Structures are given as C-alpha cells and as structure tokens.
C-alpha cells in the first residue's frame, strides 16, 4: 500500500509517494530524487559512502529507514552542502588539495568532515583521523584528505 511521506532535502520540501516506508533513505535519495552524492557502498553502514546529514549529524543513509525520519528533520546531501557557485569550505578544500582519486569515498569523507567541523572548528590530526576512521578509502589518498580538512578548518 502506497504511503505519502514529506521530507526536507537540501532545503526543499519534498512529498513522496512510496510503497515501502522502511526503504533505506539512500534509495529514496538516489532513485526518487536523482541525488548522486550519496553512494551505495557496502549497504551495511560500514564504509561511509552513503553519508548524509540529518539535522547536522552525519548518518549512514543505507541503514536509515525512510520511516525513521521525521518531516521536521532536515536531510542534507553533498549536493545541498554548497552550491556550484558557492562551495562549502570542505568541498572547496577537497578540490584545492586534489583529495580524490577514484572518488567513491569522497561523499562520505566530505560529509563526515563537514559534521566534524560543525562540532569542532579547529580539530587536530588525531580528531580528524578519529572522525573519518569509519569512512573507508582504498586509494590511499588519506594524507590529502587530512590536509583538506585542515584547510577547510581555516576557512570557517
């Protein structure tokens, strides 16, 4: 039986009609709203490729059921973090530091870093590494990612 759900995604009120209210948020974002920032990685919440913000908190969208999101909560994806004309400082820093290789993990790294910098404007290396530890990257681009997060912290 179809259900209507209201969400705020990237500052816009969205009204969806869906068959399964327990569908993962990731599927709604990618399949229904055509948002390609969040990636499907492991499907178990372990790799971080699907990370989004819900009310400013970094959340794994592959294991977050749509039904768990209240219509008053704000969902932000990589596309809503900044705009092409005015990038979020973390997005700008990742570009400036060329902190991407294959790019698959970058959505999660950026979203997790942005959440960290909201909580802590000037994190040290250990705090950055701890915040990003659950985000898997197989390319070995970690030194550039660390530099990008430090660069973004100076731009906030």
């Amino acid at each position: 039986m179809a259900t209507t759900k209201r969400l705020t995604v990237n500052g816009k009120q969205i009204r969806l009609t869906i068959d399964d209210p327990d569908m993962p948020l990731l599927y709604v974002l990618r399949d229904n709203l055509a948002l390609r920032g969040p990636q499907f990685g492991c499907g178990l919440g372990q790799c971080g490729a699907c990370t989004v913000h819900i009310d400013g908190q970094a959340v794994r969208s592959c294991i977050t059921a749509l039904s768990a999101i209240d219509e008053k909560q704000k969902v932000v994806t990589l596309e809503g973090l900044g705009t092409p004309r005015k990038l979020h400082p973390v997005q700008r820093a990742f570009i400036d530091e060329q902190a991407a290789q294959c790019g698959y993990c970058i959505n999660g790294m950026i979203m997790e870093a942005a959440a960290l910098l909201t909580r802590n404007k000037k994190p040290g290396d250990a705090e950055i590494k701890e915040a990003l530890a659950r985000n898997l990257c197989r390319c070995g681009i970690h030194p550039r990612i660390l530099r990008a997060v430090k660069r973004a912290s100076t731009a906030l």
Side-chain angles (χ1 to χ4, degrees):
M1 184 161 133
T3 304
T4 300
K5 178 79 173 178
R6 294 177 192 264
L7 292 173
T8 300
V9 179
N10 297 335
K12 296 178 186 168
Q13 286 284 331
I14 307 292
R15 185 175 168 203
L16 300 165
T17 302
I18 54 166
D19 293 326
D20 181 6
D22 291 324
M23 174 189 306
L25 175 61
L26 175 64
Y27 297 173
V28 173
L29 296 172
R30 291 186 60 82
D31 299 343
N32 296 76
L33 303 178
L35 296 168
R36 300 295 184 236
Q39 303 288 323
F40 181 88
C42 66
L44 301 170
Q46 296 175 351
C47 73
C50 67
T51 303
V52 299
H53 291 173
I54 298 178
D55 289 343
Q57 299 293 314
V59 174
R60 304 298 205 243
S61 65
C62 73
I63 58 170
T64 302
L66 183 61
S67 61
I69 301 170
D70 183 283
E71 69 180 65
K72 295 176 184 173
Q73 291 178 300
K74 293 174 177 60
V75 177
V76 177
T77 68
L78 184 64
E79 294 89 345
L81 199 58
T83 67
R85 292 181 187 239
K86 187 173 186 331
L87 295 172
H88 184 278
V90 175
Q91 291 170 313
R92 168 58 41 213
F94 269 67
I95 291 168
D96 291 346
E97 292 293 335
Q98 297 180 13
Q101 192 161 333
C102 82
Y104 209 80
C105 71
I106 295 305
N107 171 76
M109 294 290 191
I110 289 174
M111 297 305 286
E112 198 72 56
L116 167 66
L117 294 175
T118 298
R119 297 186 310 271
N120 181 351
K121 301 281 187 221
K122 301 292 179 200
D125 287 359
E127 293 162 307
I128 296 169
K129 289 176 183 177
E130 181 180 337
L132 299 179
R134 290 185 49 229
N135 291 69
L136 302 181
C137 172
R138 303 282 189 239
C139 298
I141 201 81
H142 292 91
R144 288 184 185 185
I145 291 171
L146 184 63
R147 284 196 311 265
V149 177
K150 285 181 179 179
R151 179 185 282 233
S153 74
T154 65
L156 294 173

